[in-house]
């Protein structure tokens, strides 16, 4: 829990009362590699903080897994659309490494947001950062070549290549594994 609270201070300094409220509401979860936090069709009822490990979000399309995001240490992750709307998720969230996670339910989080406006502000700041990452990802996918997307990955998040199978990296970049191999040979 200390890791989570330390990370939160990077976003916003909470009062002691708000920190204690958070400590009482998050639950520690330890899961092995390849487990799922969520499968399509389920309603996502929790927000997670990754203390240790890695996971990915992916869709199943025409029998293929399309990875659209990765989560690593210090990331907050969820199936945001399902979490907010209470509709069944269309994505899967799978651990690519064993993970130590901190979980909070939607109901408990809503109660905290109503009780502590500073936690509401914290969540707004986290959501803003999430939206910026999402928009950057969209711009990359729409307006950059495969080589430019790979170069951007090398510059911004090189740890992905060390921790994720190349097939998932290729899917994340929107290219085939063969194309990824050709691009990598040029770098």
């Amino acid at each position: 829990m200390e890791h989570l609270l330390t990370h939160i201070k990077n976003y916003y300094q909470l009062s002691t009362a708000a920190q204690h409220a958070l400590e009482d509401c998050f639950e520690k979860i330890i899961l092995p590699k390849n487990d799922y936090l969520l499968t399509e069709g389920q309603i996502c009822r929790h927000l997670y903080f990754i203390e240790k490990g890695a996971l990915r979000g992916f869709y199943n399309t025409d029998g293929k897994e399309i990875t659209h995001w990765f989560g690593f240490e210090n990331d907050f992750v969820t199936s945001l659309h399902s979490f907010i709307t209470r509709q069944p998720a269309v994505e899967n969230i799978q651990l690519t490494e064993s993970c130590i996670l901190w979980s909070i339910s939607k109901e408990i989080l809503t109660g905290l947001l109503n009780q502590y406006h500073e936690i509401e502000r914290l969540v707004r700041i986290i959501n803003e950062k999430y939206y910026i990452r999402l928009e950057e990802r969209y711009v990359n996918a729409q307006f950059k070549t495969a080589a430019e997307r790979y170069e951007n990955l090398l510059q911004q998040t090189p740890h992905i290549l060390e921790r994720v199978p190349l097939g998932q990296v290729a899917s994340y970049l929107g290219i085939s594994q063969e194309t990824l191999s050709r691009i990598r040979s040029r770098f």
Side-chain angles (χ1 to χ4, degrees), residues 11-160:
Y11 293 104
Y12 189 76
Q13 183 66 43
L14 296 175
S15 68
T16 303
Q19 286 183 39
H20 289 308
L22 282 176
E23 287 175 0
D24 293 340
C25 293
F26 273 88
E27 175 187 349
K28 185 176 186 176
I29 300 172
I30 300 173
L31 295 172
K33 180 179 179 175
N34 295 324
D35 260 20
Y36 285 81
L37 286 181
L38 179 75
T39 56
E40 60 187 287
Q42 293 179 319
I43 295 173
C44 186
R45 301 184 190 283
H46 292 86
L47 171 69
Y48 302 92
F49 174 78
I50 307 170
E51 179 177 320
K52 184 176 183 338
L55 43 77
R56 70 180 178 125
F58 71 94
Y59 298 101
N60 285 310
T61 305
D62 298 327
K64 290 178 66 178
E65 294 180 356
I66 308 298
T67 298
H68 67 104
W69 59 266
F70 295 105
F72 298 96
E73 289 82 4
N74 300 325
D75 283 338
F76 287 93
V77 297
T78 191
S79 177
L80 197 57
H81 185 270
S82 178
F83 184 71
I84 291 170
T85 66
R86 300 300 202 181
Q87 294 178 359
V90 294
E91 69 181 315
N92 302 278
I93 302 176
Q94 182 185 32
L95 282 68
T96 57
E97 297 175 358
S98 297
C99 286
I100 299 172
L101 305 160
W102 291 92
S103 170
I104 188 168
S105 73
K106 170 80 168 161
E107 293 77 21
I108 292 173
L109 180 59
T110 299
L112 286 173
L113 297 176
N114 290 333
Q115 187 175 1
Y116 297 93
H117 292 292
E118 60 195 295
I119 293 176
E120 186 175 46
R121 184 174 187 166
L122 169 69
V123 171
R124 179 185 53 80
I125 292 167
I126 291 168
N127 284 338
E128 287 171 353
K129 291 190 180 298
Y130 172 82
Y131 178 80
I132 289 167
R133 282 183 21 205
L134 183 64
E135 187 174 294
E136 288 170 349
R137 178 117 170 84
Y138 174 78
V139 168
N140 281 341
Q142 293 296 314
F143 303 110
K144 294 193 176 181
T145 66
E148 289 171 331
R149 291 192 302 271
Y150 179 74
E151 186 174 8
N152 187 51
L153 181 99
L154 283 176
Q155 292 172 356
Q156 307 256 333
T157 53
H159 62 278
I160 289 176

